[in-house]
């Protein structure tokens, strides 16, 4: 169903973002460990920075997932009209 307000009511694929973050976190942790063991300090630091960034993103995604269907609605929930700030009741 298209309403014409899709950009304003877009829904983020949080579960996909969660699993991609987990995958990236595993690779970044492995890279940090391997580059540390091989003595490549610059690459180890770069991977460690990625671990921090990915961890922060992962915490935000988990927080949004725990907020429930308002932020992660399923296919059975129709799109809702955005709040335009003029105190009009929704249609």
């Amino acid at each position: 169903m298209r309403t014409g307000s899709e950009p304003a009511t877009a829904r983020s694929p949080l579960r996909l973002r969660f699993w991609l973050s987990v995958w990236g976190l595993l690779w970044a942790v492995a890279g940090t460990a391997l580059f540390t063991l091989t003595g490549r300090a610059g690459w180890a630091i770069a991977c460690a920075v990625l671990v921090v960034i990915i961890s922060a993103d992962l915490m935000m995604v988990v927080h949004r997932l725990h907020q429930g269907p308002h932020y992660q609605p399923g296919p059975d929930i129709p799109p809702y009209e955005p709040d335009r700030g003029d105190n009009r009741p929704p249609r």
Side-chain angles (χ1 to χ4, degrees):
M1 172 173 87
R2 296 195 46 87
T3 63
S5 64
E6 281 79 12
T9 59
R11 298 174 180 167
S12 174
L14 289 176
R15 294 193 201 300
L16 175 65
R17 191 168 154 195
F18 171 80
W19 288 111
L20 287 174
S21 292
V22 168
W23 180 250
L25 185 63
L26 291 174
W27 276 102
V29 167
T32 303
L34 290 175
F35 284 127
T36 300
L37 291 175
T38 59
R40 306 252 184 195
W43 284 105
I45 291 170
C47 287
V49 168
L50 278 176
V51 167
V52 171
I53 292 170
I54 294 169
S55 297
D57 182 56
L58 196 56
M59 287 188 296
M60 185 174 55
V61 169
V62 168
H63 174 70
R64 292 287 185 211
L65 282 170
H66 283 288
Q67 285 182 326
H70 178 70
Y71 290 98
Q72 183 63 23
D76 56 330
I77 298 175
Y80 50 88
E81 288 292 322
D83 181 20
R84 290 179 172 70
D86 56 2
N87 295 326
R88 283 188 301 179
R91 291 188 243 165

Coordinates of all heavy atoms in Angstrom, one line a residue:
M1 N 0.8 -1.2 0.0 CA 0.0 0.0 0.0 C 0.9 1.2 0.0 O 1.7 1.4 0.9 CB -0.9 0.0 1.3 CG -1.7 1.2 1.5 SD -2.8 1.1 2.8 CE -1.8 1.6 4.2
R2 N 0.7 2.1 -1.0 CA 1.5 3.3 -1.0 C 0.6 4.5 -0.6 O -0.5 4.6 -1.0 CB 2.0 3.5 -2.5 CG 3.0 2.4 -2.9 CD 3.8 2.8 -4.1 NE 4.4 4.1 -4.2 CZ 5.6 4.4 -3.7 NH1 6.3 3.5 -3.0 NH2 6.0 5.6 -3.8
T3 N 1.2 5.3 0.3 CA 0.5 6.5 0.8 C 1.0 7.8 0.3 O 0.4 8.8 0.5 CB 0.5 6.5 2.3 OG1 1.8 6.7 2.7 CG2 -0.1 5.2 2.9
G4 N 2.2 7.8 -0.3 CA 2.8 9.0 -0.7 C 3.7 9.7 0.3 O 4.4 10.6 0.1
S5 N 3.6 9.1 1.6 CA 4.4 9.7 2.7 C 5.6 8.7 3.1 O 6.0 8.8 4.2 CB 3.6 10.0 3.9 OG 3.0 8.8 4.4
E6 N 6.0 7.9 2.2 CA 7.0 6.9 2.5 C 8.3 7.4 3.1 O 8.8 6.9 4.0 CB 7.3 5.9 1.3 CG 6.2 4.9 1.1 CD 5.0 5.4 0.4 OE1 5.0 6.6 -0.2 OE2 4.0 4.7 0.3
P7 N 8.9 8.5 2.5 CA 10.1 9.0 3.1 C 9.9 9.4 4.6 O 10.8 9.3 5.4 CB 10.5 10.2 2.2 CG 9.9 9.9 0.9 CD 8.6 9.2 1.3
A8 N 8.8 9.9 4.9 CA 8.5 10.4 6.3 C 8.2 9.3 7.2 O 8.4 9.4 8.4 CB 7.4 11.4 6.3
T9 N 7.7 8.1 6.7 CA 7.3 7.0 7.5 C 8.2 5.8 7.3 O 7.8 4.7 7.5 CB 5.8 6.7 7.3 OG1 5.7 6.3 6.0 CG2 4.9 7.8 7.7
A10 N 9.4 6.0 6.8 CA 10.3 4.9 6.4 C 10.6 4.1 7.7 O 10.8 4.6 8.8 CB 11.5 5.4 5.8
R11 N 10.7 2.8 7.5 CA 11.1 1.9 8.6 C 12.4 1.3 8.4 O 12.8 0.8 7.3 CB 10.0 0.8 8.7 CG 8.6 1.4 9.0 CD 7.6 0.3 9.0 NE 6.3 0.9 9.2 CZ 5.2 0.2 9.0 NH1 5.2 -1.0 8.5 NH2 4.0 0.8 9.3
S12 N 13.2 1.3 9.4 CA 14.6 0.8 9.4 C 14.6 -0.8 9.6 O 13.9 -1.3 10.5 CB 15.5 1.4 10.4 OG 16.7 0.8 10.5
P13 N 15.3 -1.5 8.7 CA 15.4 -2.9 8.9 C 16.4 -3.2 10.1 O 17.6 -3.6 9.9 CB 15.9 -3.4 7.6 CG 16.7 -2.3 7.0 CD 16.0 -1.1 7.5
L14 N 15.9 -3.1 11.3 CA 16.8 -3.2 12.5 C 17.4 -4.6 12.7 O 18.5 -4.7 13.1 CB 16.1 -2.7 13.7 CG 15.8 -1.2 13.8 CD1 15.0 -0.9 15.1 CD2 17.1 -0.4 13.8
R15 N 16.6 -5.6 12.4 CA 17.2 -7.0 12.6 C 18.3 -7.2 11.6 O 19.3 -7.8 12.0 CB 16.1 -8.0 12.4 CG 15.0 -7.9 13.5 CD 14.1 -9.0 13.5 NE 12.8 -8.8 14.2 CZ 12.6 -8.4 15.4 NH1 13.7 -8.1 16.2 NH2 11.4 -8.2 15.9
L16 N 18.2 -6.8 10.4 CA 19.3 -6.9 9.4 C 20.5 -6.1 9.9 O 21.6 -6.6 9.9 CB 18.9 -6.5 8.0 CG 20.0 -6.5 7.0 CD1 20.5 -7.9 6.7 CD2 19.5 -5.8 5.7
R17 N 20.3 -4.9 10.3 CA 21.4 -4.1 10.8 C 22.0 -4.7 12.1 O 23.2 -4.6 12.2 CB 20.8 -2.7 11.2 CG 21.8 -1.7 11.5 CD 21.2 -0.3 11.5 NE 22.0 0.6 12.3 CZ 21.6 1.7 12.7 NH1 20.4 2.2 12.4 NH2 22.3 2.5 13.5
F18 N 21.2 -5.4 12.9 CA 21.8 -6.1 14.1 C 22.7 -7.2 13.7 O 23.9 -7.2 14.1 CB 20.6 -6.6 14.9 CG 21.1 -7.5 16.0 CD1 21.6 -7.0 17.2 CD2 21.1 -8.9 15.9 CE1 22.0 -7.8 18.2 CE2 21.5 -9.8 16.9 CZ 22.0 -9.2 18.1
W19 N 22.3 -8.0 12.7 CA 23.1 -9.2 12.3 C 24.4 -8.7 11.6 O 25.5 -9.3 11.7 CB 22.3 -10.2 11.6 CG 21.4 -10.9 12.5 CD1 20.1 -10.9 12.5 CD2 21.8 -11.8 13.6 NE1 19.6 -11.6 13.6 CE2 20.6 -12.2 14.2 CE3 23.0 -12.2 14.1 CZ2 20.6 -13.1 15.3 CZ3 23.0 -13.1 15.2 CH2 21.8 -13.5 15.8
L20 N 24.2 -7.6 10.8 CA 25.4 -7.1 10.1 C 26.4 -6.5 11.1 O 27.6 -6.6 10.9 CB 25.0 -6.1 9.0 CG 24.3 -6.7 7.8 CD1 23.8 -5.5 6.9 CD2 25.3 -7.6 7.0
S21 N 25.9 -5.9 12.1 CA 26.8 -5.3 13.1 C 27.5 -6.4 13.9 O 28.7 -6.3 14.2 CB 26.0 -4.5 14.1 OG 25.5 -3.3 13.5
V22 N 26.8 -7.5 14.2 CA 27.4 -8.7 14.9 C 28.5 -9.2 14.0 O 29.6 -9.5 14.5 CB 26.4 -9.7 15.2 CG1 27.0 -11.0 15.7 CG2 25.4 -9.2 16.3
W23 N 28.2 -9.4 12.7 CA 29.2 -9.9 11.8 C 30.5 -9.0 11.7 O 31.6 -9.5 11.8 CB 28.6 -10.1 10.4 CG 29.5 -10.6 9.3 CD1 30.0 -9.9 8.3 CD2 30.0 -11.9 9.2 NE1 30.8 -10.7 7.5 CE2 30.8 -12.0 8.1 CE3 29.9 -13.1 10.0 CZ2 31.5 -13.1 7.7 CZ3 30.5 -14.2 9.6 CH2 31.3 -14.2 8.4
G24 N 30.2 -7.7 11.6 CA 31.3 -6.7 11.6 C 32.1 -6.7 12.9 O 33.3 -6.6 12.9
L25 N 31.4 -6.9 14.0 CA 32.1 -6.9 15.3 C 33.0 -8.1 15.4 O 34.1 -8.0 15.9 CB 31.0 -6.9 16.4 CG 31.6 -6.8 17.9 CD1 32.3 -5.5 18.1 CD2 30.4 -7.0 18.9
L26 N 32.5 -9.3 15.0 CA 33.4 -10.5 15.0 C 34.6 -10.3 14.2 O 35.8 -10.6 14.6 CB 32.6 -11.7 14.5 CG 31.5 -12.2 15.4 CD1 30.7 -13.3 14.7 CD2 32.0 -12.7 16.7
W27 N 34.5 -9.7 13.0 CA 35.7 -9.5 12.1 C 36.6 -8.5 12.7 O 37.8 -8.6 12.6 CB 35.3 -9.1 10.7 CG 34.9 -10.3 9.9 CD1 33.7 -10.7 9.6 CD2 35.8 -11.1 9.2 NE1 33.8 -11.8 8.8 CE2 35.1 -12.1 8.5 CE3 37.2 -11.2 9.2 CZ2 35.7 -13.1 7.8 CZ3 37.8 -12.2 8.4 CH2 37.0 -13.2 7.8
A28 N 36.1 -7.4 13.3 CA 36.9 -6.4 13.9 C 37.7 -6.9 15.1 O 38.9 -6.6 15.3 CB 36.1 -5.1 14.3
V29 N 37.0 -7.7 15.9 CA 37.7 -8.3 17.1 C 38.8 -9.2 16.6 O 39.9 -9.2 17.2 CB 36.7 -9.0 18.0 CG1 37.4 -9.8 19.1 CG2 35.8 -7.9 18.7
A30 N 38.5 -10.1 15.7 CA 39.5 -11.0 15.1 C 40.7 -10.2 14.5 O 41.8 -10.6 14.7 CB 38.9 -11.9 14.1
G31 N 40.4 -9.2 13.8 CA 41.4 -8.3 13.2 C 42.3 -7.7 14.3 O 43.5 -7.7 14.1
T32 N 41.7 -7.2 15.3 CA 42.4 -6.6 16.4 C 43.4 -7.6 17.0 O 44.6 -7.3 17.2 CB 41.5 -6.0 17.5 OG1 40.6 -5.1 16.9 CG2 42.3 -5.3 18.6
A33 N 42.9 -8.8 17.3 CA 43.7 -9.8 17.9 C 44.8 -10.3 17.0 O 46.0 -10.4 17.4 CB 42.8 -11.0 18.3
L34 N 44.5 -10.5 15.7 CA 45.5 -11.0 14.8 C 46.6 -10.0 14.5 O 47.8 -10.3 14.5 CB 44.9 -11.5 13.5 CG 44.0 -12.8 13.7 CD1 43.3 -13.1 12.4 CD2 44.9 -13.9 14.1
F35 N 46.2 -8.7 14.3 CA 47.2 -7.7 14.1 C 48.0 -7.4 15.3 O 49.2 -7.0 15.2 CB 46.5 -6.4 13.6 CG 46.1 -6.5 12.1 CD1 44.8 -6.2 11.8 CD2 46.9 -6.9 11.1 CE1 44.3 -6.3 10.5 CE2 46.5 -7.0 9.8 CZ 45.2 -6.7 9.5
T36 N 47.5 -7.5 16.5 CA 48.2 -7.4 17.7 C 49.3 -8.5 17.8 O 50.4 -8.2 18.2 CB 47.3 -7.4 19.0 OG1 46.4 -6.3 18.8 CG2 48.1 -7.2 20.2
L37 N 48.9 -9.7 17.5 CA 49.8 -10.8 17.6 C 50.9 -10.8 16.6 O 52.0 -11.2 16.8 CB 49.0 -12.2 17.5 CG 48.1 -12.5 18.6 CD1 47.3 -13.8 18.3 CD2 48.9 -12.7 19.9
T38 N 50.6 -10.2 15.4 CA 51.7 -10.1 14.4 C 52.5 -8.8 14.5 O 53.4 -8.6 13.7 CB 51.0 -10.2 13.0 OG1 50.1 -9.1 12.8 CG2 50.3 -11.5 12.8
G39 N 52.2 -8.0 15.4 CA 53.0 -6.8 15.6 C 52.7 -5.6 14.8 O 53.5 -4.7 14.6
R40 N 51.5 -5.6 14.2 CA 51.1 -4.5 13.3 C 50.2 -3.5 14.1 O 49.0 -3.6 14.1 CB 50.3 -5.0 12.1 CG 51.0 -6.0 11.3 CD 51.4 -5.4 10.0 NE 52.1 -6.5 9.2 CZ 52.8 -6.1 8.2 NH1 52.9 -4.9 7.9 NH2 53.3 -7.1 7.5
A41 N 50.8 -2.6 14.8 CA 50.1 -1.8 15.8 C 49.1 -0.8 15.1 O 48.0 -0.6 15.6 CB 51.1 -0.9 16.6
G42 N 49.5 -0.3 14.0 CA 48.6 0.7 13.3 C 47.3 0.0 12.9 O 46.2 0.5 13.1
W43 N 47.4 -1.2 12.3 CA 46.2 -1.9 11.9 C 45.4 -2.4 13.1 O 44.1 -2.4 13.1 CB 46.5 -3.1 11.0 CG 46.9 -2.7 9.6 CD1 48.2 -2.6 9.1 CD2 46.0 -2.2 8.6 NE1 48.1 -2.2 7.8 CE2 46.8 -1.9 7.5 CE3 44.6 -2.1 8.6 CZ2 46.2 -1.5 6.3 CZ3 44.1 -1.6 7.4 CH2 44.9 -1.3 6.3
A44 N 46.1 -2.8 14.2 CA 45.4 -3.2 15.4 C 44.6 -2.0 16.0 O 43.5 -2.2 16.5 CB 46.4 -3.7 16.4
I45 N 45.2 -0.8 16.0 CA 44.5 0.3 16.5 C 43.2 0.6 15.6 O 42.2 1.0 16.1 CB 45.4 1.5 16.6 CG1 46.4 1.3 17.7 CG2 44.6 2.8 16.9 CD1 47.6 2.3 17.7
A46 N 43.4 0.5 14.3 CA 42.3 0.8 13.4 C 41.1 -0.2 13.7 O 40.0 0.2 13.7 CB 42.8 0.7 12.0
C47 N 41.5 -1.5 13.8 CA 40.4 -2.5 14.1 C 39.8 -2.2 15.5 O 38.6 -2.4 15.7 CB 41.0 -3.9 14.1 SG 41.4 -4.4 12.4
A48 N 40.6 -1.8 16.5 CA 40.1 -1.5 17.8 C 39.1 -0.3 17.8 O 38.1 -0.3 18.4 CB 41.2 -1.2 18.8
V49 N 39.4 0.7 17.0 CA 38.5 1.8 16.8 C 37.2 1.3 16.2 O 36.1 1.7 16.6 CB 39.1 2.9 15.9 CG1 38.1 4.0 15.5 CG2 40.3 3.6 16.7
L50 N 37.3 0.4 15.2 CA 36.1 -0.2 14.6 C 35.3 -0.9 15.6 O 34.0 -0.9 15.6 CB 36.5 -1.1 13.4 CG 36.7 -0.4 12.1 CD1 37.2 -1.4 11.0 CD2 35.5 0.4 11.6
V51 N 35.9 -1.6 16.5 CA 35.2 -2.4 17.5 C 34.4 -1.4 18.4 O 33.2 -1.7 18.7 CB 36.2 -3.2 18.4 CG1 35.5 -3.7 19.7 CG2 36.8 -4.4 17.6
V52 N 35.0 -0.3 18.7 CA 34.2 0.7 19.6 C 33.0 1.3 18.8 O 31.9 1.4 19.3 CB 35.2 1.8 20.0 CG1 34.4 3.0 20.7 CG2 36.3 1.3 20.9
I53 N 33.2 1.6 17.5 CA 32.2 2.2 16.7 C 31.0 1.2 16.5 O 29.8 1.5 16.7 CB 32.7 2.7 15.4 CG1 33.6 3.9 15.6 CG2 31.6 3.1 14.4 CD1 34.4 4.3 14.4
I54 N 31.4 0.0 16.2 CA 30.4 -1.1 15.9 C 29.7 -1.4 17.2 O 28.4 -1.6 17.2 CB 31.1 -2.3 15.3 CG1 31.6 -2.0 13.9 CG2 30.1 -3.5 15.3 CD1 32.5 -3.1 13.4
S55 N 30.4 -1.4 18.3 CA 29.7 -1.7 19.6 C 28.7 -0.6 20.0 O 27.6 -1.0 20.4 CB 30.7 -1.8 20.8 OG 31.6 -2.9 20.5
A56 N 29.0 0.6 19.7 CA 28.1 1.7 20.0 C 26.8 1.6 19.1 O 25.7 1.7 19.5 CB 28.7 3.0 19.8
D57 N 27.0 1.3 17.8 CA 25.9 1.1 16.9 C 25.1 -0.1 17.3 O 23.8 0.0 17.3 CB 26.4 0.9 15.5 CG 25.3 0.7 14.5 OD1 24.5 1.6 14.4 OD2 25.3 -0.3 13.8
L58 N 25.7 -1.2 17.7 CA 25.0 -2.4 18.2 C 24.1 -2.1 19.4 O 23.0 -2.5 19.5 CB 26.0 -3.5 18.4 CG 25.5 -4.9 18.5 CD1 24.7 -5.3 17.3 CD2 26.6 -5.9 18.7
M59 N 24.7 -1.3 20.3 CA 23.9 -1.0 21.5 C 22.7 -0.1 21.1 O 21.6 -0.3 21.7 CB 24.7 -0.2 22.5 CG 25.7 -1.1 23.2 SD 26.6 -0.3 24.6 CE 27.5 1.0 23.8
M60 N 22.8 0.8 20.2 CA 21.7 1.6 19.7 C 20.6 0.8 19.0 O 19.4 0.9 19.3 CB 22.2 2.7 18.8 CG 21.1 3.7 18.4 SD 21.6 5.1 17.5 CE 22.5 4.3 16.1
V61 N 21.1 -0.2 18.2 CA 20.1 -1.0 17.5 C 19.4 -1.9 18.5 O 18.1 -2.1 18.4 CB 20.8 -1.9 16.5 CG1 20.0 -3.0 15.9 CG2 21.4 -1.0 15.3
V62 N 20.0 -2.5 19.5 CA 19.4 -3.3 20.5 C 18.4 -2.5 21.3 O 17.3 -2.9 21.6 CB 20.4 -4.0 21.4 CG1 19.8 -4.6 22.6 CG2 21.2 -5.0 20.6
H63 N 18.8 -1.2 21.6 CA 17.9 -0.3 22.3 C 16.6 -0.1 21.5 O 15.5 -0.1 22.0 CB 18.6 1.0 22.6 CG 17.7 2.0 23.2 ND1 17.2 1.9 24.5 CD2 17.2 3.2 22.7 CE1 16.5 3.0 24.8 NE2 16.4 3.7 23.7
R64 N 16.7 0.2 20.2 CA 15.6 0.4 19.4 C 14.7 -0.8 19.2 O 13.5 -0.8 19.2 CB 16.0 0.9 18.0 CG 16.6 2.2 18.0 CD 15.6 3.3 18.2 NE 16.2 4.6 18.0 CZ 15.8 5.7 18.7 NH1 14.8 5.6 19.5 NH2 16.4 6.8 18.5
L65 N 15.4 -2.0 19.1 CA 14.6 -3.2 19.0 C 13.8 -3.5 20.3 O 12.6 -4.0 20.2 CB 15.5 -4.4 18.8 CG 16.0 -4.6 17.4 CD1 17.1 -5.7 17.3 CD2 14.9 -4.9 16.4
H66 N 14.3 -3.1 21.5 CA 13.6 -3.3 22.7 C 12.5 -2.3 22.9 O 11.6 -2.5 23.8 CB 14.6 -3.2 23.9 CG 15.4 -4.5 24.1 ND1 14.8 -5.7 24.5 CD2 16.7 -4.7 23.8 CE1 15.8 -6.6 24.6 NE2 16.9 -6.1 24.1
Q67 N 12.4 -1.2 22.1 CA 11.4 -0.3 22.3 C 10.1 -0.7 21.7 O 9.0 -0.1 22.0 CB 11.8 1.1 21.6 CG 12.8 1.8 22.4 CD 13.2 3.1 21.8 OE1 13.2 3.3 20.6 NE2 13.4 4.1 22.7
G68 N 10.1 -1.8 21.0 CA 8.8 -2.4 20.5 C 8.4 -2.0 19.1 O 9.1 -1.4 18.4
P69 N 7.1 -2.3 18.8 CA 6.6 -2.2 17.5 C 6.5 -0.7 17.0 O 6.3 -0.5 15.8 CB 5.3 -2.9 17.5 CG 4.8 -2.9 18.9 CD 6.1 -2.9 19.7
H70 N 6.5 0.2 17.9 CA 6.4 1.6 17.3 C 7.7 1.9 16.5 O 7.6 2.6 15.5 CB 6.3 2.6 18.5 CG 6.3 4.0 18.0 ND1 5.2 4.5 17.3 CD2 7.2 5.0 18.1 CE1 5.4 5.8 17.0 NE2 6.7 6.1 17.5
Y71 N 8.8 1.4 16.9 CA 10.0 1.7 16.2 C 10.4 0.5 15.2 O 11.2 0.7 14.3 CB 11.2 1.9 17.1 CG 11.0 3.2 17.8 CD1 10.5 3.3 19.1 CD2 11.3 4.4 17.2 CE1 10.3 4.5 19.7 CE2 11.1 5.6 17.8 CZ 10.6 5.7 19.1 OH 10.4 6.9 19.7
Q72 N 9.9 -0.7 15.4 CA 10.2 -1.8 14.6 C 8.9 -2.5 14.3 O 8.7 -3.6 14.7 CB 11.2 -2.7 15.2 CG 11.6 -3.9 14.4 CD 12.3 -3.5 13.1 OE1 12.9 -2.4 13.0 NE2 12.3 -4.4 12.2
P73 N 8.0 -1.9 13.5 CA 6.7 -2.6 13.3 C 6.8 -3.7 12.3 O 7.7 -3.7 11.5 CB 5.8 -1.4 12.7 CG 6.8 -0.5 12.1 CD 8.0 -0.6 12.9
G74 N 5.9 -4.7 12.5 CA 5.9 -5.8 11.6 C 5.1 -5.6 10.3 O 4.5 -4.5 10.1
P75 N 5.0 -6.5 9.4 CA 4.3 -6.3 8.2 C 2.8 -6.2 8.4 O 2.1 -5.7 7.5 CB 4.6 -7.6 7.4 CG 5.0 -8.6 8.4 CD 5.6 -7.8 9.5
D76 N 2.2 -6.6 9.6 CA 0.8 -6.5 9.8 C 0.4 -5.1 10.4 O -0.8 -4.9 10.5 CB 0.4 -7.6 10.8 CG 1.1 -7.5 12.1 OD1 2.3 -7.1 12.1 OD2 0.6 -7.9 13.1
I77 N 1.3 -4.2 10.6 CA 1.0 -2.9 11.1 C 1.1 -1.9 9.9 O 2.1 -1.8 9.3 CB 2.0 -2.5 12.2 CG1 1.9 -3.4 13.4 CG2 1.7 -1.0 12.7 CD1 2.9 -3.2 14.5
P78 N 0.0 -1.2 9.6 CA 0.0 -0.3 8.5 C 0.8 0.9 8.8 O 1.1 1.3 9.9 CB -1.5 0.1 8.3 CG -2.1 -0.1 9.7 CD -1.3 -1.3 10.3
P79 N 1.3 1.6 7.7 CA 2.0 2.8 7.9 C 1.2 3.9 8.7 O 0.0 3.9 8.5 CB 2.4 3.3 6.5 CG 1.9 2.3 5.6 CD 1.1 1.3 6.3
Y80 N 1.8 4.7 9.5 CA 1.1 5.7 10.2 C 1.5 7.1 9.7 O 2.6 7.3 9.1 CB 1.4 5.7 11.7 CG 2.9 5.6 12.1 CD1 3.6 6.8 12.2 CD2 3.5 4.4 12.2 CE1 4.9 6.7 12.5 CE2 4.9 4.3 12.5 CZ 5.6 5.5 12.7 OH 6.9 5.5 13.0
E81 N 0.6 8.0 9.8 CA 0.8 9.4 9.3 C 1.8 10.1 10.2 O 1.7 10.0 11.4 CB -0.5 10.2 9.3 CG -1.5 9.7 8.2 CD -1.0 10.0 6.8 OE1 -0.4 11.1 6.6 OE2 -1.1 9.2 5.9
P82 N 2.7 10.8 9.6 CA 3.7 11.5 10.5 C 3.0 12.7 11.2 O 2.0 13.3 10.7 CB 4.7 12.0 9.4 CG 4.0 12.1 8.1 CD 3.0 11.0 8.2
D83 N 3.6 13.1 12.3 CA 3.1 14.2 13.1 C 3.6 15.5 12.4 O 4.7 15.7 12.3 CB 3.6 14.1 14.5 CG 3.1 15.3 15.4 OD1 2.1 15.9 15.0 OD2 3.7 15.6 16.4
R84 N 2.6 16.3 11.9 CA 3.0 17.5 11.3 C 3.1 18.7 12.2 O 3.4 19.8 11.8 CB 1.9 17.8 10.2 CG 2.0 16.8 9.0 CD 1.0 17.1 8.0 NE 1.2 16.3 6.8 CZ 1.0 15.0 6.7 NH1 0.6 14.3 7.8 NH2 1.2 14.3 5.6
G85 N 2.7 18.5 13.5 CA 2.9 19.5 14.5 C 1.8 20.6 14.5 O 2.0 21.6 15.2
D86 N 0.7 20.4 13.8 CA -0.4 21.4 13.8 C -1.6 20.9 14.6 O -2.7 21.5 14.4 CB -0.7 21.7 12.4 CG -1.2 20.5 11.6 OD1 -1.2 19.4 12.1 OD2 -1.5 20.7 10.4
N87 N -1.4 19.9 15.4 CA -2.5 19.4 16.3 C -3.7 18.9 15.6 O -4.8 18.9 16.2 CB -2.9 20.5 17.4 CG -1.7 20.8 18.3 OD1 -1.0 19.9 18.6 ND2 -1.6 22.0 18.7
R88 N -3.6 18.5 14.3 CA -4.7 17.9 13.6 C -4.8 16.4 14.1 O -3.8 15.8 14.3 CB -4.5 17.9 12.1 CG -4.7 19.2 11.5 CD -4.6 19.1 10.0 NE -3.3 18.6 9.6 CZ -3.0 18.3 8.3 NH1 -3.8 18.5 7.4 NH2 -1.8 17.8 8.1
P89 N -6.1 16.0 14.2 CA -6.2 14.5 14.6 C -5.9 13.7 13.3 O -6.0 14.1 12.2 CB -7.7 14.4 14.9 CG -8.4 15.6 14.2 CD -7.3 16.7 14.2
P90 N -5.3 12.5 13.6 CA -5.0 11.6 12.5 C -6.2 11.2 11.7 O -7.3 11.1 12.3 CB -4.3 10.4 13.1 CG -4.6 10.5 14.5 CD -5.0 11.9 14.9
R91 N -6.1 10.9 10.4 CA -7.2 10.5 9.6 C -7.7 9.1 10.0 O -7.0 8.2 10.4 CB -6.9 10.5 8.2 CG -6.7 11.8 7.6 CD -6.6 11.7 6.1 NE -5.2 12.2 5.8 CZ -4.6 12.1 4.7 NH1 -5.2 11.4 3.7 NH2 -3.4 12.5 4.4

